[in-house]
Amino acid sequence: MTYEMHPIDGVNRLRIMAAGIRGARVAEQVVPAPADTVWAVMGDLEGEFGRFQPDMRSVRVLRRTGDRVEALARSKYGFRAHFRGVLRPGWCWLQSRFLIIGMAAAPEPGGGTRVALTGGVRVPGRAAIVPFGTARELADAMARLEARVEARVERRGAGAASG
């Protein structure tokens, strides 16, 4: 018997990672824009990322080595988090002592980009997220992300029309 190997895209990878964390929720949505445009917003940790994550005020990348990233984030409530993780096209997984953030994007057959988000407050020392409020936070992040992508698409369209 032979098995055919299929590549795992970032969205499927995120589903797999979240399945191993008790309490994790995954929000998914198809955004009507090309994957490179969507990821330009999602992967911009020091810019757009903080504008679509509901509780982020700022993110500063401290170090990048290949796809490994270390960043310091500050919430709108004044809390700080020192994240370590992986950031590559279509995939990001960041963890601090008390938080997990996962996000992925992959082209959707038929058009648009499938986006997946997960995250929340970690239970220190365990593969678990406190599930209270995460569904609402993820839905809010998804709506804000879509608005940021729409604004980027409109700016590109206006730039092309005036050029």
Side-chain angles (χ1 to χ4, degrees), residues 124-144:
R126 298 182 59 204
I129 290 179
V130 178
F132 305 111
T134 57
R136 188 187 78 247
E137 288 282 321
L138 292 171
D140 189 20
M142 194 66 79
R144 292 169 68 143

Side-chain angles (χ1 to χ4, degrees), residues 29-44 48-49 51-53 103-105 112-115 117 141-158:
Q29 183 172 315
V30 175
V31 176
D36 62 335
T37 301
V38 173
W39 193 253
V41 172
M42 294 176 76
D44 181 12
E48 296 282 356
F49 175 78
R51 293 182 183 98
F52 80 83
Q53 290 289 340
M103 53 186 186
T113 303
R114 177 160 299 279
V115 172
L117 302 173
M142 194 66 79
R144 292 169 68 143
L145 170 63
E146 190 162 16
R148 302 297 307 171
V149 169
E150 283 178 18
R152 181 175 282 248
V153 168
E154 287 173 9
R155 282 193 308 271
R156 275 188 175 174

Side-chain angles (χ1 to χ4, degrees), residues 47-102:
E48 296 282 356
F49 175 78
R51 293 182 183 98
F52 80 83
Q53 290 289 340
D55 61 349
M56 291 288 170
R57 186 174 73 191
S58 66
V59 177
R60 184 169 49 100
V61 174
L62 302 174
R63 194 171 294 115
R64 266 191 99 151
T65 306
D67 64 0
R68 302 290 176 181
V69 66
E70 184 177 346
L72 186 62
R74 186 173 297 259
S75 81
K76 65 183 181 182
Y77 306 109
F79 298 112
R80 287 180 273 166
H82 188 163
F83 286 106
R84 288 184 175 85
V86 176
L87 175 65
R88 60 177 70 121
W91 168 256
C92 181
W93 189 270
L94 300 171
Q95 290 186 176
S96 74
R97 184 172 175 205
F98 294 107
L99 296 172
I100 293 175
I101 295 174

